Amino acid sequence: MAVVSTATAAATHTHQHVSVNRPNPVQVGTIVWLASELMFFAALFAMYFTVRQVMPAEEWAAQSDKLNISFSLLNTIVLVLSSFTCQAGVFAAERFQAARTGSIAQFWRWGMNEWMTMTFVMGAFFIGGQVFEYAELVHEGLSISSSPYGSVFYLTTGFHGLHVVGGLIAFLFLLGRSFAARKFGHHEATTGIVVSYYWHFVDVVWIALFAVIYLLR
Amino acid sequence: MKVETRLFLWGAPFFVLASVVYGWMTWQQDGVFEPVGTLGIMLVAALVAMVGAYLGMTARRIDARPEDNPDADISEGAGDQGVYAPWSWWPLAIAGAAAIGFLGLAVGWWVLYIGAALGVIALVGWVFEFSRGQHSH
């Protein structure tokens, strides 16, 4: 028996991600955990707005004017698009298709591995862009210790960036499980689905962060 | 799953309203708008909306559960509850690696590197436990 389940009378069939009569506990657990992650980011937003309120407005503006909006917008677009490639990977996982059936250029025939690799590359682009952006800002004199604005800017975007890096590691684990499996099944599909939940969540948090930090300033 | 879905989704408009009222009241009282609580309550609305949306979407994909039927018998809930590891040493290994990592914060940075290395081993072992060896499929 490949998968052993404890609380069951007849474990000969294991419906893991499309159980007909129960929500998948892995997905439920992921959603509950993401709810706590939402509160973590709520604390970061609260910190940002508090510092913004107590800091003199012109001092705040002098720091926030250093941001490169157009560069960050490009980065944001790549991250948002990566949610779509990730969802395409989920659709492939739900039809238990690990690998592509056509050539690499025929993206409409891609399996989960190709879509998730694409998502990984786009997420890595975002992180690379963020590192580049940080380097530019430090060069212009905005560091985590240079001003209260620097502190809240790097803490909010930095913690988000760490979450994206965590997502990239999760994609590597997902691809590892997919390649390790001779038969792509519910175990791998469930992994793909919950990693996508996390990725969409981190993406939506970034949209909120981008709107607050770069657009509202 | 109607009850669970509504329990969370109906919370969303309530918390949006609570957030607006809270923000307005702090502004009335102090002349400055208090952002921490206002935003915190607003994001609680986002939290319950997220959980409610998940439950609602899941309810559409699965059949009614015994819990949804007031006249169901306990025995109808028998069968697969999900897939769980019957036993595993890996969570203990991850916890040990994390403990060593935190010890590094107290003792010295060099301990953290040992914890990180063990953490990578433990995490890989945990993630791939049901993909290799006797469980490979």
Side-chain angles (χ1 to χ4, degrees), chain A residues 33-81:
Chain A
W33 170 62
L34 288 180
S36 78
E37 286 275 280
L38 188 67
M39 286 298 105
F40 173 79
F41 280 103
L44 290 179
F45 276 109
M47 173 195 73
Y48 180 88
F49 280 110
T50 304
V51 172
R52 185 182 186 179
Q53 197 174 52
V54 299
M55 210 173 148
E58 62 278 11
E59 206 180 307
W60 176 276
Q63 300 300 322
S64 63
D65 279 348
K66 290 175 180 165
L67 298 181
N68 185 344
I69 311 282
S70 49
F71 179 80
S72 183
L73 181 65
L74 171 76
N75 237 356
T76 302
I77 290 168
V78 171
L79 192 69
V80 170
L81 289 177

Side-chain angles (χ1 to χ4, degrees), chain B residues 91-116:
Chain B
L92 191 67
I94 292 172
I100 293 170
F102 279 108
L103 185 70
L105 299 180
V107 175
W109 283 106
W110 61 275
V111 181
L112 187 68
Y113 300 125
I114 299 171

Side-chain angles (χ1 to χ4, degrees), chain A residues 2-4 6-8 13 16 19-22 27 35 38 42 45 50 53 94 176-177 181-183 188 197, chain B residues 1 33 35-36 39 43 46-47 50 54 61-63 65 67 77 79-84 86 127-128 131 135 137:
Chain A
V3 182
V4 183
T6 48
T8 174
H13 62 294
Q16 289 182 27
S19 166
V20 287
N21 58 359
R22 291 208 175 270
Q27 293 174 17
L38 188 67
F45 276 109
T50 304
Q53 197 174 52
E94 283 177 339
R177 274 188 174 178
R182 274 190 302 279
K183 190 175 175 303
E188 289 73 27
Y197 285 175
Chain B
M1 304 213 337
F33 158 77
V36 175
L39 196 83
L43 285 174
L47 189 158
M50 180 179 84
Y54 167 74
R61 293 181 64 154
I62 64 173
D63 298 336
R65 303 160 307 156
E67 291 91 325
D80 279 352
Q81 306 293 315
V83 178
Y84 300 94
V127 169
F128 291 104
S131 295
H135 296 296
H137 53 272

Side-chain angles (χ1 to χ4, degrees), chain A:
Chain A
M1 194 160 61
V3 182
V4 183
S5 119
T6 48
T8 174
T12 45
H13 62 294
T14 44
H15 298 292
Q16 289 182 27
H17 90 278
V18 280
S19 166
V20 287
N21 58 359
R22 291 208 175 270
N24 182 331
V26 182
Q27 293 174 17
V28 174
T30 305
I31 292 291
V32 171
W33 170 62
L34 288 180
S36 78
E37 286 275 280
L38 188 67
M39 286 298 105
F40 173 79
F41 280 103
L44 290 179
F45 276 109
M47 173 195 73
Y48 180 88
F49 280 110
T50 304
V51 172
R52 185 182 186 179
Q53 197 174 52
V54 299
M55 210 173 148
E58 62 278 11
E59 206 180 307
W60 176 276
Q63 300 300 322
S64 63
D65 279 348
K66 290 175 180 165
L67 298 181
N68 185 344
I69 311 282
S70 49
F71 179 80
S72 183
L73 181 65
L74 171 76
N75 237 356
T76 302
I77 290 168
V78 171
L79 192 69
V80 170
L81 289 177
S82 79
S83 254
F84 288 91
T85 59
C86 183
Q87 196 55 35
V90 169
F91 293 146
E94 283 177 339
R95 48 176 200 265
F96 301 120
Q97 187 196 343
R100 63 191 151 88
T101 53
S103 78
I104 192 96
Q106 292 172 300
F107 64 87
W108 57 92
R109 290 194 173 172
W110 279 4
M112 192 200 75
N113 294 350
E114 286 81 16
W115 282 117
M116 293 312 191
T117 307
M118 184 74 195
T119 311
F120 179 92
V121 170
M122 292 164 88
F125 178 93
F126 177 85
I127 288 298
Q130 214 174 20
V131 169
F132 182 78
E133 186 190 9
Y134 280 7
E136 289 279 294
L137 289 172
V138 169
H139 193 68
E140 290 175 36
L142 181 68
S143 77
I144 194 164
S145 54
S146 68
S147 73
Y149 179 79
S151 299
V152 294
F153 172 79
Y154 286 108
L155 280 174
T156 49
T157 59
F159 268 114
H160 176 270
L162 287 177
H163 278 78
V164 176
V165 171
L168 294 180
I169 294 169
F171 277 119
L172 291 183
F173 280 144
L174 166 63
L175 289 169
R177 274 188 174 178
S178 176
F179 282 115
R182 274 190 302 279
K183 190 175 175 303
F184 188 98
H186 290 284
H187 185 57
E188 289 73 27
T190 297
T191 311
I193 290 166
V194 296
V195 170
S196 87
Y197 285 175
Y198 177 74
W199 194 252
H200 293 322
F201 173 82
V202 169
D203 191 7
V204 169
V205 167
W206 178 255
I207 293 171
L209 278 176
F210 181 76
V212 166
I213 295 176
Y214 292 87
L215 300 183
L216 283 179
R217 279 206 267 184

